[in-house]
Amino acid sequence: MAPKRNNANRGASPNPKTATTTSATVPLPPNPPPSAPIPGSRPSSSHSAAHPKTSASAPVSQTWDKVVSNLTSHYQKSTPQRTKLLDAFMAFLVLVGVLQFVYCVVAGNYPFNAFLSGFGATVGQFVLTASLRIQTTEANKNDFPAVSPERAFADYVVCSLILHFFCVNFIN
Amino acid sequence: MLRSTSPLLSLFAFLLVWGAALVSAVSTTGNRLLAVFDDVGEKENYSKFLGDLEGRGFQISYETPKSESLALFHLGERAYDHVIFFPTKTKGLGPNLTPQILVNFLNANGNILHTLSSTTTTPNTLISLLAELDITLPTERTGLVVDHFSYDTLSAAETHDVLALPPPVPVRNDISPLFSADAPAGQLLAFPHGVGAVLGPREQLTPILRAPKTAYSYNPKEQSEVLEANELFAAGQQLSLVTAFQAINSARFVLLGSAEMLQDKWFLAEVAAPGGKSVKTFNREFAKRVSAWAFQELGVLRVNWIEHHLNEVSAVNESNPHIYRVKNDVTYTISLSEYAYDKWTSFSLPANDVLQLEFSMLSPFHRLPLSLDKAHSSPEASAYTASFKLPDQHGIFNFKVNYKRPFFTNIEEKNTVSVRHMAHDEWPRSFVISGAWPWIAGIGATVSGWVVFVALWMYSAPTDKKVGSKKTN
Amino acid sequence: MSAETLQVLADVGKGKSTRGVLRVIILALIAGASIASRLFSVIRFESIIHEFDPWFNFRATKYLVANGFYNFWDWFDDRTWHPLGRVTGGTLYPGLMVTSGAIWHALRALTIPVDIRNVCVLLAPAFSGLTAVAAYLLTNEMTTYNSAGLLAALFMGIAPGYISRSVAGSYDNEAIAIFLLVFTFYLWIKALKQGSMLWGALCALFYGYMVASWGGYAFITCLLPLHAFVLILMGRYSTRLYVSYTTWYALGTLASMQIPFVGFLPVKTSEHMPALGIFGFLQLLAFLDYVRSAIPSRQFQTFLWLFAGGIFVMSLAALVVATSAGVIAPWSGRFYSLWDTGYAKIHIPIIASVSEHQPTAWPAFFFDLNLLIFVFPVGVYLCFQELADEHVFIIVYAVFGSYFAGVMVRLMLTLTPVVCVAGAIAISTILNNYLVAKTPTEEDQQAAEAAEKKGSKSGLKSATKPVVGIYGLWSKSLMVAGMAVYLLIFVMHCTWVTSNAYSSPSVVLASRMPDGSQHIIDDYREAYQWLRQNTKEDAKIMSWWDYGYQIGGMADRPTLVDNNTWNNTHIATVGKAMSSREEVSYPIMRQHEVDYVLVVFGGLLGYSGDDINKFLWMVRIAEGIWPDEVSERAFFTPRGEYRVDGEATETMKNSLMYKMSYYNFNNLFPPGQAVDRMRQARLPEVGPSLSTLEEAFTSENWIIRIYKVKDLDNVGRDHISATAFEKGLKKKKTTKKRGPRVLRVD
């Protein structure tokens, strides 16, 4: 008996989703360049579009540059403003986390509980924000039948408050 | 700063005044003295000695070992506080004075002065008792100490069995000079027809008066002219003529090798060492001191009070708390008094001696000298104090003062305290520790960034109204 | 019965609200049954705390309600582990005590003052009712059959595997921990199915509560990441998994570090590394998932998957390096001995000596689970049929739970929930197939025949397609009756096992007189009460560590070692004192300020749990620290036997434990006929003599013997000479001096 893929049972085909979301958000050329901008959406949508870039014969570094530039341009154009806000906050958290970790490596981790709570706060907040991002992107609607984006945000606020409480208590 | 000891001090003062009003000079453990004679009439020979004792406040009862009413214990308590055994000719001392009863008497804080004579064999009871105390007498249960160089030329020129000895000096530097002559020099002690004993290594034993190096002990009945080396009982300073034994509970037992030296005859006699002039004997003074020591009038120490407290700025005014914390500063003070014949005076430590405090759990963590604390000392009591920091180890600790010196009461005081760990709110807060600031800043940045983000999110436009508005919970 | 009546009944039963009410009533009845079946010992004896460990928990709870939470948190217990003390506030799991304290305060606030002892005794049954409800909730997530949940609740409520640690009076951590375990699993499954952060946070909070309650929380810490890992390996990475797992991990780890006893363990020990590793791996997978959707190339994707695999291997290597360098502690002894079962006997004899840590014999599975152990594999197989994410969880839990339950008897407890769930799934499948299709209609029958014909036409009988109904009333009623009989036998078995095997308080022993009436042996409490009433308040008691908690709880006296066994050297010191000659033991006892020594002796009654039977463990533990002074070999005869009679070795006869056990024992019998009923040995005519201890108390059946340690002899003798003198024996005099004289030096 082959294991069945849950997601196949639960979600509808993502193709129509892509179309509706792209129409609702920033207007795009009718034939969008290869990379589908919504994160987490099914690979079939990306296969349906044209993909001039990647071929086996092209050198990897060239591909890599093009990939990156492609990625950034489509990210700029096609992510909704709220998601960009999320991403900015996540980048900020990464920065704070990296700073703390660098400080720990350079100057030692005394007191250890302070290091754990400071670093843990940023990591935990990042993870919660990533979860919120996943839950509020439209492509993943069918993954979360019970959680609407508003409910996701409410969950997010509650979980963040719990996180902050634990961190402040732990750092004493 | 002493706290809340004023009740103790006032109580102590009251007792002192009250006690002083009752008696003039007496032993600290009671004044009921039992003198055991073979024949009560013999007490006439010791009238001066016994008179001195009565003058110091003792009530003397005279009994013989055979009397049936003689009992050292009555209903579980001591009936007498002190016993003097004079030489008796009986083989045993009867069922009322078994060795076990005598050991129990010592265990019950009774004191015994045991006198020997070379003319009488010691009863078996007392030999058993001495064996328990690690004191050995010659196998014939009596002997004679002679010295061909320190004898009394006036009374024993031929027999050399009356020793003329200088008063004893302390044999070690930790022994107090209680029995030495004050002044002048040249005093002589007469030791007529005495028995020398050999002491074992037990800590509780201390010789008061040792035979001079040229003395030896022999059995005049069986050994006469020449003594083989392997027949010699003991010689020289191995012979202890007057022995002191202080038990752990400070009950005292004195073995006096010559009962005759307490007789009136020898209190008034004059003796002369070979090549010396005749002097009055030191015997009366020596007898007074030896009996005073034996009957707890001399060399008695007492702990008046012990106080320890927290010595920190924020401390509550509490004495002797049951629990401290690691690395607390504490101060410990102990007050001692010494008794000499009739009053308690402040105890001054001998010159090279140190009173030590141990702070120990299984083994000492601190061992500190206690120094004199003039603020809490008085003419009747002297206080010794030490201040230190508790170790960084939690557990159940003891403040121990262990001061055991020959001729002084054993002082063994133990106060138990618990030393606890740091409570969860006694650690320095993180904003005090400079190393934690980056991470406090990290948390602060996270929380404030989050608040800004939430505010911005709630004000920004939702992504899609069409699909996401229906709640599917 | 006509079809119409049946139809009416079926319609009533089909109503949703009726079903809901029925479910609630059934759950309440199940909870009531589970509470009731745990009350045997309370009814037979009294409301008393059982065993050993619960006494410590009870004492801690009494301290908590007397002194408040902050004093409890900072409690320095100076009445245990004398003279080391124990920082109890930081070395226990406070969940149980805080729960009881909260319930006590809540009842008082409602003006129902219940004594704290009764709260503690009845806490476990109360929570077992809640566990049954939690099992119901968990099973409901697994299947769509309604009966599965109720069956699981029933099984969980009365299964002896769980009852053994949750009878009334068994006030131990498992009392609330198993409830929290099942409930946390339910919350995890709910979070995973919904992909909701809120459920993940709830799971984390209950996980934190579980960490506060029981050391077995490591089971959850390893099982959830394992589940996530298996899902990833099966290719079932999904955003729901990411959301639920990361929320659980972030909040749960922070919550668990708030407990002082756990502290930094979640980032420093190997037991917690799988969770951290999967957390990191999930971040990587989420990132790759995000990037993959943006990059179309298949080759690039393969490259990235290789990249992911490479990172995984590298981080695993980094973990190994960190563990071997000591930065991360390796598996602690207790957990390592689960993998290497021979490890504990050699290296940590204390762990090996506990009877609950022995491997499980196979009858124990049947004894504790009855028919569930047969249907358990069936349930797991049925999970393979469906294989949604939650079924993978059951499969993983079942496999690992079975392994651990096989290694250690104590871990049967963690196996019981999954056995109940899987068994419920299996039995409810059977019942639903045989019980539901009771009134097949004409249409159904035709459709079924058509299906049959189709199947017979094509020649293939598809085994996976369920048949519409089973038609023969005969077969249906046979199966249903059979299942009913099995279930009834299950209930009877559970009740019998509970009543006979798991309801003994072990503080009070019960036996049968020749005429069948019950004879209570209350020696333990008699001795502890004697201690409580006849010794000074801080008299220190030395005994083997088994009785430490009970002495602290019932006699309220400081002890040297107790069941916490945190300090092996201290226990070895007590072991050395018990197994050495008096001259060696006495200084040890003086140094530790011991006032009384307590031993358990079963020779008069034939009681098997006494100290002479445990003696070799004392010797082994002491030998671990002092191999030069204590040797186990010296306690065996040259032929290799462990004897206590005249043939016993000199070391055995001179050991303190032997002397204390048999002192004065021969005076109970006619001369020369003293018999140790437990070891069936005839003892020598002259019993042992003690010089440094004196007998203070012996209980009615000689089970507990208490000895007082004598003080130093006042006149400075050694104790043997002193005792001989007391008896009146004359000292031997050396008539001839042999060798040189010993001179006194001043």
Side-chain angles (χ1 to χ4, degrees), chain C residues 367-419:
Chain C
F367 193 70
D368 274 349
L369 298 169
N370 196 280
L371 96 125
L372 294 178
I373 201 67
F374 307 137
V375 295
F376 165 57
V378 179
V380 176
Y381 173 80
L382 286 173
C383 286
F384 271 103
Q385 295 265 31
E386 304 247 359
L387 217 63
D389 288 347
E390 53 269 21
H391 300 107
V392 175
F393 177 73
I394 292 292
I395 294 168
V396 171
Y397 184 4
V399 169
F400 280 88
S402 312
Y403 171 71
F404 287 125
V407 170
M408 223 186 237
V409 168
R410 193 179 182 181
L411 296 177
M412 269 295 257
L413 187 60
T414 52
L415 180 67
T416 308
V418 72
V419 165

Side-chain angles (χ1 to χ4, degrees), chain C residues 153-201:
Chain C
L154 175 69
F155 293 149
M156 197 69 211
I158 60 175
Y162 178 37
I163 286 190
S164 62
R165 304 290 298 202
S166 67
V167 282
S170 175
Y171 182 56
D172 210 348
N173 291 330
E174 288 91 343
I176 59 172
I178 299 297
F179 161 64
L180 292 172
L181 183 85
V182 180
F183 198 62
T184 306
F185 286 150
Y186 160 67
L187 290 172
W188 163 248
I189 298 294
K190 202 85 173 141
L192 184 62
K193 280 170 83 166
Q194 284 200 0
S196 151
M197 275 194 274
L198 186 65
W199 286 100

Side-chain angles (χ1 to χ4, degrees), chain B residues 3 310-317 325 328:
Chain B
R3 295 123 204 241
L310 189 62
N311 195 18
E312 290 182 3
V313 178
S314 58
V316 175
N317 189 1
R325 203 204 65 205
N328 272 150

Side-chain angles (χ1 to χ4, degrees), chain C residues 336-346 352 357 359 403 406-408:
Chain C
Y336 185 72
S337 59
L338 293 176
W339 304 111
D340 179 7
T341 47
Y343 176 78
K345 179 129 197 248
I346 307 166
H357 292 181
Y403 171 71
V407 170
M408 223 186 237

